[in-house]
Amino acid sequence: MRHRTVLRPSRPSRRDFLAMAAAAGVAVPLLGCAGGVTDDGGSDDGTGDPGGNLDQVDISPPSQYAGRVNVAMWSAMSGVNGEALAALVESFNQSQEDIYAEVQFQGPYPESAPKLTAALRAGAVPDVMMLADTFWGRFLINDALEPLNGYFDDDFGRDDYVEALYDEGLVGDELYWLSFGRSTPLFYYNKTVFQQLGLPDRGPETWTELREWSAEISQLSVNGQPLKAHAFTGDDDWQFMAATWQFGGKLSEGLDVTIDSGGAVDAARWHQEYIFEDGYGYLAQAAGTDFGTGVVATAITSTGGLRGIYEASASAGFEVGTAFLPKEVASGVPTGGMGFSLLKGAAQERKDAAFQLLKFLGQPENAAEWTLATGYLPIVKASMDVPELAETLASDPNFNVAVEQLPEAQGSDAIRSYLPNGTDLIISGLQRIYSDGSEDPQDVFDEVAEQLRQGVEDIRPAYEEYFG
């Protein structure tokens, strides 16, 4: 955190803040109001009194868990990941006799976050909220999240976690978001194709090297067409942020927008030329899916996609390789995924109980179970010594690549995390660049940057309360 001796502007009330955001076209539903509405129609400050001023959402404990303190966890996980989380929470319920926790699925992140906003406005909230790495900051700067430092003790704290992932939830020295399901992108390549062409059994060290290899890859055919070398995903600004870093730029410095200069423009122009001039790449609906079915030779997608890609590639009849992301002028590895926050205005008894659930999920055996079931990164250091996970890391080089790449990883540029519609604006520009070879990336990002800057001015006072 930067420390400056300056007079800060007075902070707008939440009512003023929401009005300004709406006037600027900012996606207000992604910002939470930590307090309810007072009897006189005014908005409270959302900080909560010692006893808590936010009620609990409905929860229905089974009869065997009656009489316990109830904890509601709102989740954005469904499918295999949702089942894995529910199993761990049920293990928590069975491990002690004082607390009952219930997982309540609220839809994926873009659906669950607005539901939290509505719950905050209504004054009844979950006790634990799953938030994506690009969502929690939006609730932070609206004073909805509980500081967590006081809940840790000598037996459970930062030293138990991979520090780089733990520290992403820090604002100054205070933790507001505890990492859980974390990931980075990986470079995936078709080992069978590479072997057939005599290419090295590794990923390209740079984008330039990928371009050189792509000329050979395109000599092969699939379904009667030249095999494409690489698939881009136009609705994934996460991967493009990585490319921006790799070309020496950033999407923003703090809230100061830089997407219209340097590495961002260079990366977009390189990708566009690779697609339209070289003919080696294309805009995919789902790059990981295309790679898994063998219709493209390489792709970049999340570490969390490895298990699904294994299943698809087995049917398609090829072997999968993974590698660090390519560099160009610099390394660029972003972290992603989700973590958990507590709500500031909830009753203290519920917050204490909710943290016991987070502590349980952070125990090595439970963290290892989560990683093995989902493919997310190990975030608890001792979990990597749990025999089953240790064996997996030792026996599967692809799985281990994500762990080895982690020291190069860093958190998101602020414009993605704190501006409610920031990712949407960036994605809209990317889709134009990736789908139309005549669009000048500089012109596109000039437009995107102007829209981002308009939104930034409305959140800057709240942001600077934490980061100024």
Side-chain angles (χ1 to χ4, degrees):
M1 176 183 289
R2 294 178 293 118
H3 296 279
R4 300 178 297 171
T5 306
V6 296
L7 291 175
R8 292 177 181 164
S10 61
R11 189 169 183 180
S13 71
R14 279 173 181 71
R15 179 172 291 176
D16 293 338
F17 181 84
L18 291 169
M20 288 188 301
V26 175
V28 177
L30 296 186
L31 284 169
C33 298
V37 177
T38 60
D39 291 340
D40 63 0
S43 177
D44 67 37
D45 68 2
T47 58
D49 58 44
N53 66 346
L54 291 174
D55 294 332
Q56 187 178 57
V57 295
D58 290 339
I59 192 166
S60 302
S63 58
Q64 68 266 35
Y65 299 128
R68 300 186 180 193
V69 176
N70 292 331
V71 170
M73 171 188 280
W74 275 11
S75 168
M77 293 282 180
S78 60
V80 172
N81 293 349
E83 293 171 2
L85 179 61
L88 283 169
V89 171
E90 179 57 24
S91 294
F92 170 74
N93 291 333
Q94 295 175 8
S95 71
Q96 41 73 48
E97 298 180 349
D98 300 317
I99 303 166
Y100 168 72
E102 180 175 284
V103 179
Q104 299 176 349
F105 175 63
Q106 300 297 317
Y109 303 121
E111 296 177 13
S112 60
K115 287 181 180 178
L116 178 59
T117 298
L120 287 160
R121 288 173 176 163
V125 298
D127 304 294
V128 181
M129 183 67 194
M130 178 188 292
L131 291 167
D133 66 307
T134 53
F135 279 77
W136 72 269
R138 306 172 191 185
F139 291 95
L140 169 78
I141 64 174
N142 214 36
D143 280 344
L145 304 186
E146 173 81 354
L148 299 177
N149 284 25
Y151 294 89
F152 289 97
D153 55 34
D154 292 341
D155 296 326
F156 181 64
R158 179 177 181 268
D159 290 345
D160 294 295
Y161 284 83
V162 175
E163 286 86 352
L165 297 178
Y166 178 96
D167 288 354
E168 284 187 47
L170 288 174
V171 179
D173 295 326
E174 188 70 67
L175 189 78
Y176 289 89
W177 180 75
L178 182 62
S179 284
F180 188 63
R182 304 305 310 281
S183 60
T184 62
L186 285 180
F187 186 89
Y188 290 78
Y189 65 99
N190 186 319
K191 290 171 70 80
T192 304
V193 164
F194 275 40
Q195 182 179 26
Q196 182 177 348
L197 293 170
L199 295 173
D201 185 10
R202 61 173 174 82
E205 294 182 357
T206 63
W207 285 97
T208 295
E209 188 171 45
L210 174 63
R211 175 176 264 154
E212 293 168 356
W213 293 355
S214 298
E216 298 181 55
I217 292 170
S218 65
Q219 301 305 308
L220 300 179
S221 63
V222 59
N223 299 327
Q225 300 292 326
L227 177 63
K228 293 292 185 181
H230 191 74
F232 296 92
T233 302
D235 63 353
D236 194 340
D237 64 315
W238 184 48
Q239 291 184 27
F240 181 74
M241 180 175 66
T244 295
W245 296 349
Q246 291 151 12
F247 279 79
K250 291 179 76 70
L251 301 180
S252 71
E253 294 280 359
L255 289 184
D256 295 332
V257 176
T258 56
I259 194 173
D260 54 344
S261 63
V265 175
D266 292 344
R269 183 164 284 124
W270 196 101
H271 288 174
Q272 188 184 58
E273 291 173 355
Y274 181 87
I275 293 170
F276 293 102
E277 294 183 16
D278 300 336
Y280 299 147
Y282 69 101
L283 174 61
Q285 185 128 18
T289 299
D290 286 4
F291 174 78
T293 55
V295 300
V296 65
T298 71
I300 293 173
T301 192
S302 170
T303 54
L306 182 57
R307 294 195 183 282
I309 286 174
Y310 273 166
E311 294 176 4
S313 64
S315 299
F318 71 90
E319 187 178 356
V320 175
T322 63
F324 284 21
L325 298 184
K327 302 177 182 180
E328 191 60 21
V329 301
S331 173
V333 181
T335 56
M338 62 82 173
F340 294 118
S341 293
L342 307 185
L343 280 302
K344 178 183 287 188
Q348 191 61 52
E349 181 185 43
R350 286 161 42 207
K351 290 185 287 192
D352 290 339
F355 192 80
Q356 290 304 309
L357 172 59
L358 299 188
K359 184 175 181 179
F360 178 86
L361 295 176
Q363 298 308 301
E365 294 78 8
N366 300 322
E369 181 179 334
W370 169 255
T371 294
L372 288 165
T374 63
Y376 279 106
L377 287 168
I379 60 166
V380 174
K381 288 183 284 191
S383 71
M384 289 179 266
D385 296 325
V386 173
E388 189 176 357
L389 181 53
E391 181 180 345
T392 298
L393 291 171
S395 63
D396 186 349
N398 287 333
F399 194 89
N400 205 36
V401 166
V403 178
E404 294 171 346
Q405 183 181 238
L406 190 55
E408 297 187 16
Q410 57 183 312
S412 174
D413 292 340
I415 200 66
R416 296 182 68 241
S417 298
Y418 295 95
L419 184 64
N421 62 341
T423 54
D424 293 337
L425 292 172
I426 296 167
I427 287 169
S428 69
L430 286 176
Q431 290 177 337
R432 289 167 59 185
I433 292 166
Y434 287 164
S435 62
D436 186 349
S438 67
E439 287 258 43
D440 185 341
Q442 182 68 67
D443 293 341
V444 172
F445 281 163
D446 284 346
E447 295 178 27
V448 170
E450 178 59 28
Q451 294 172 307
L452 291 171
R453 291 182 180 116
Q454 290 174 9
V456 159
E457 291 314 304
D458 294 302
I459 67 168
R460 193 181 292 277
Y463 177 86
E464 289 185 350
E465 285 291 321
Y466 289 93
F467 299 97

